[in-house]
Amino acid sequence: MAVEKILETDTLNQGRVKINAVLDQSNASSEKVDNYKTELTQGIDEAKKIATDAGDEAKNIAEQAGALANQKADQAVADSKTAVDTANRAVGTANQNKQEFDALRNEFDDLVAESGDSNPEIVQSRTDTEGIKQATLQARLTSDFNSRLTTADAMQLFSGSVNTPKMMDFKGKTAGNIASNPHQAFSDYTAATLKKPSANWNEFTQDNYNKVVARDDTGVSTGSSQNGVIPQQLYPFDVKAAIESVADSIFEGMTITEAVKYIKDHFVSIKISIRGKASSPGNKNLKVATFLESTDSYSVQMQNAASDYTDFTTEITDSNFIDSNGKINVLVFSDSSNGVTPASIDVDYIGVQITVSLSALDVLNKSGFVKDDQLKDHTENTNNPHDVTKEQVGLGNVPNYSAATDTEAILGTSPNKLMTPKNVSSAIDAKAVKIEGDQDVNGVKNFTSVPQINNIPIAIDQGVAFKEITLDATINANIKSGFIRLWRIGSMVIVGAYLSLKGPVRWVNLGAYPTGFAPQSPASFGIALGSTGGEQLPATMYAGSGNYRILTSGSVPTTGYDFQGSGVYVTEADFPS
């Protein structure tokens, strides 16, 4: 009769029932042994009696009976040994199950004591972001925290190198395609030795790739019952491609040899995570090895008993397991079959996390951003670093004319003379209105638009408009009092502002632009407000979102502090009535 396994979902009572069934079977085996012994004793006694009563014929019969009895005895001994072995395994299984139940009960007791609940969420809370069930909630939190970017990491990111992890697994993998996911998986159930990565392998089907993506207990099984055959699965993970997915230009301009050297020079560690199970004639060990190209052989990284799906993790700090193609080859296998008992492996999930030390500045530089010293060297290079020719800028077509005299420049009629700076100055002095200096301008000048002084249109006939915005605590609790006074003269607006504060006022709208006073360019408007206190704290009034706004220092004292200032801007709004 088959013995039922104890499942994770069984209650303690269901586990007890299954253990009792195993013990009952063991007792039945022991009774069978006792019966064989009784039968053997009876056969011998009968043979002796027949030999005594019947003479030689009885002796012959007895000898035949003895031979038969010996056969039965041998069979009984063999059956007895089998029964004893079965009983021992049953007892071992019972003890192991009891230990597992005791551990499970203690774990639930601890969880219930700490959380007051025993629903599935408590158990799920120990599963980290990689799907691995940690022994305690603290272990899960530590595992997840270590994969987060801390503030210190962010600061170091722009001041030096930072350890950058990248998980390699088979999410989004398409069988036979390495464009979207460069990692591959293969299997073999014919070889009697560990097959090297360069040998011929059978690639996973799409269905098998889908099975090793998540820890869902639906793994990929490889097995054989042929004598000496080792079931094995090979997983070549492309480390170079994984790093390129983080910094796509990091290997630009490098050969594959140079890229692999860069990886090894910046290597921190490789972490292998696997969930699987195994079976073989002598044990149920699941073995994981990595290929070392320099020795053309595998190095076993872990081997653990895994009769059921079990999670294992190991970390490697030797960069030599990365081969000349930038890959790490992970082999999963078990012991070989003996020709009677099959050997098999079953992988439910496998992933490899590569961690390298990268500099954000180097990554940006590879992406086209230049460093300060590079930019400085280039901008200060006066030796024509771009090798520009006169033809490229059109100088090849400049005619070879002589310079004009001052008289020719002022007259302005010669078509075959070149102007010198002195010629230009003389012509301007004679005929143009100069930007600077005193000058008499004769004749009537008809301006088709309003002239400007310092970029401010001269007021012609609109007059002057005035508006005042009162400031108090209804705008912001830290404003004691104040005002914004606006004078519009033509297209020019003169601003005067005063604020008495009792604390910092930051990013606060002081009031909407009055009609006819909206700045032409709010983004360029800003007035620095001077302070009347000894600390000389900074403050700025600026425009945005249809309002005058203010930003003060964050250290304005609550005892009071005054700011004031003035400025000018241009408006294109209609003149207010």
Side-chain angles (χ1 to χ4, degrees):
M1 182 180 68
V3 178
E4 290 186 60
K5 294 183 179 179
I6 298 177
L7 306 177
E8 254 182 66
T9 55
D10 286 347
T11 65
L12 289 176
N13 186 58
Q14 289 171 329
R16 179 186 61 78
V17 171
K18 292 180 179 180
I19 291 171
N20 287 337
V22 172
L23 293 175
D24 289 341
Q25 184 176 350
S26 175
N27 291 334
S29 298
S30 296
E31 290 177 1
K32 186 176 181 180
V33 172
D34 292 338
N35 291 335
Y36 281 134
K37 288 181 179 180
T38 300
E39 183 179 350
L40 175 61
T41 301
Q42 290 175 351
I44 293 172
D45 290 342
E46 289 175 0
K48 287 180 179 180
K49 185 176 184 302
I50 292 172
T52 301
D53 295 339
D56 292 339
E57 184 178 357
K59 182 179 179 181
N60 291 335
I61 295 174
E63 287 175 352
Q64 293 174 1
L68 178 61
N70 285 335
Q71 292 177 0
K72 290 185 177 181
D74 292 340
Q75 183 63 45
V77 170
D79 291 343
S80 174
K81 182 178 180 182
T82 301
V84 170
D85 290 342
T86 302
N88 288 337
R89 286 197 297 271
V91 171
T93 301
N95 290 334
Q96 181 180 353
N97 291 336
K98 182 179 184 301
Q99 292 173 1
E100 292 176 354
F101 269 108
D102 289 342
L104 182 63
R105 181 188 61 194
N106 293 336
E107 183 177 351
F108 268 94
D109 288 344
D110 291 341
L111 289 171
V112 173
E114 293 177 8
S115 66
D117 195 1
S118 60
N119 59 47
E121 292 184 36
I122 298 174
V123 178
Q124 294 169 2
S125 68
R126 294 188 293 106
T127 304
D128 63 22
T129 53
E130 294 184 3
I132 299 176
K133 294 178 182 177
Q134 299 292 344
T136 63
L137 182 58
Q138 175 65 34
R140 176 263 168 99
L141 294 175
T142 300
S143 173
D144 285 349
F145 178 79
N146 288 339
S147 66
R148 298 294 187 267
L149 180 68
T150 65
T151 302
D153 291 334
M155 294 295 292
Q156 185 181 5
L157 189 64
F158 291 99
S159 60
S161 297
V162 63
N163 290 347
T164 306
K166 175 62 179 177
M167 175 57 74
M168 302 179 289
D169 56 22
F170 294 99
K171 292 177 182 177
K173 176 65 179 178
T174 300
N177 187 319
I178 60 173
S180 58
N181 187 322
H183 316 305
Q184 295 177 285
F186 303 90
S187 65
D188 184 85
Y189 52 88
T190 61
T193 59
L194 299 184
K195 291 184 67 173
K196 297 177 181 179
S198 58
N200 292 324
W201 291 82
N202 296 315
E203 186 177 4
F204 276 16
T205 63
Q206 185 62 55
D207 182 57
N208 284 344
Y209 274 123
N210 295 340
K211 289 180 179 179
V212 293
V213 170
R215 296 174 172 85
D216 53 8
D217 293 352
T218 57
V220 177
S221 179
T222 301
S224 175
S225 59
Q226 295 182 15
N227 185 32
V229 170
I230 302 173
Q232 47 195 302
Q233 296 176 6
L234 176 68
Y235 297 91
F237 289 95
D238 195 328
V239 176
K240 177 178 177 291
I243 296 175
E244 284 178 318
S245 70
V246 177
D248 58 357
S249 302
I250 195 68
F251 301 122
E252 184 175 345
M254 295 186 187
T255 64
I256 183 64
T257 301
E258 293 169 337
V260 171
K261 183 179 184 302
Y262 181 94
I263 295 171
K264 291 186 176 182
D265 289 344
H266 296 78
F267 175 85
V268 176
S269 68
I270 292 171
K271 182 179 179 182
I272 302 174
S273 298
I274 185 170
R275 178 176 176 81
K277 59 184 177 179
S279 177
S280 61
N283 55 61
K284 297 184 180 298
N285 288 343
L286 183 69
K287 301 181 180 182
V288 178
T290 49
F291 188 74
L292 187 59
E293 190 176 41
S294 60
T295 63
D296 197 32
S297 62
Y298 285 99
S299 177
V300 176
Q301 301 297 338
M302 56 180 167
Q303 53 180 341
N304 301 90
S307 57
D308 291 315
Y309 283 121
T310 309
D311 287 292
F312 301 109
T313 301
T314 187
E315 189 167 17
I316 304 171
T317 57
D318 186 352
S319 65
N320 289 317
F321 288 106
I322 299 173
D323 68 14
S324 57
N325 293 314
K327 296 181 180 182
I328 177 169
N329 293 283
V330 180
L331 186 74
V332 183
F333 63 101
S334 70
D335 286 342
S336 63
S337 169
N338 59 10
V340 177
T341 303
S344 67
I345 57 172
D346 192 317
V347 177
D348 183 44
Y349 171 82
I350 187 168
V352 174
Q353 178 179 279
I354 174 70
T355 300
V356 291
S357 178
L358 296 179
S359 167
L361 296 179
D362 288 342
V363 174
L364 291 174
N365 184 239
K366 280 286 189 176
S367 300
F369 294 86
V370 297
K371 297 179 180 179
D372 288 345
D373 55 347
Q374 294 173 320
L375 180 61
K376 183 175 182 295
D377 290 344
H378 185 76
T379 55
E380 293 180 355
N381 187 344
T382 59
N383 295 323
N384 193 16
H386 296 289
D387 295 325
V388 178
T389 65
K390 64 179 182 178
E391 286 77 15
Q392 289 174 324
V393 296
L395 291 178
N397 298 324
V398 176
N400 189 20
Y401 293 154
S402 63
T405 65
D406 288 348
T407 301
E408 290 172 331
I410 294 172
L411 185 61
T413 58
S414 175
N416 55 1
K417 295 290 183 179
L418 298 178
M419 296 287 283
T420 66
K422 186 177 182 301
N423 295 151
V424 174
S425 177
S426 298
I428 290 174
D429 288 340
K431 292 190 173 183
V433 177
K434 295 186 290 185
I435 295 176
E436 298 179 350
D438 299 332
Q439 187 178 15
D440 293 331
V441 180
N442 298 322
V444 177
K445 310 300 179 187
N446 181 32
F447 293 94
T448 58
S449 59
V450 178
Q452 297 183 352
I453 299 177
N454 290 333
N455 297 322
I456 301 175
I458 299 173
I460 304 298
D461 56 3
Q462 290 96 337
V464 177
F466 172 78
K467 292 290 183 181
E468 180 172 342
I469 300 173
T470 302
L471 309 175
D472 54 32
T474 61
I475 298 174
N476 185 274
N478 285 336
I479 299 178
K480 295 196 293 184
S481 62
F483 58 79
I484 301 174
R485 292 174 180 166
L486 307 163
W487 292 269
R488 177 168 175 178
I489 304 172
S491 298
M492 178 177 67
V493 177
I494 301 172
V495 185
Y498 167 79
L499 290 96
S500 180
L501 307 178
K502 58 181 180 180
V505 180
R506 302 173 67 80
W507 314 107
V508 171
N509 294 332
L510 298 176
Y513 313 139
T515 302
F517 287 82
Q520 176 182 347
S521 177
S524 61
F525 169 72
I527 298 175
L529 302 181
S531 57
T532 60
E535 295 88 350
Q536 294 297 308
L537 300 176
T540 301
M541 189 174 82
Y542 62 99
S545 303
N547 289 271
Y548 299 104
R549 311 183 77 184
I550 188 170
L551 173 63
T552 72
S553 167
S555 58
V556 174
T558 57
T559 55
Y561 206 86
D562 296 340
F563 294 89
Q564 62 184 13
S566 62
V568 177
Y569 66 83
V570 176
T571 181
E572 292 182 337
D574 294 337
F575 200 90
S577 58

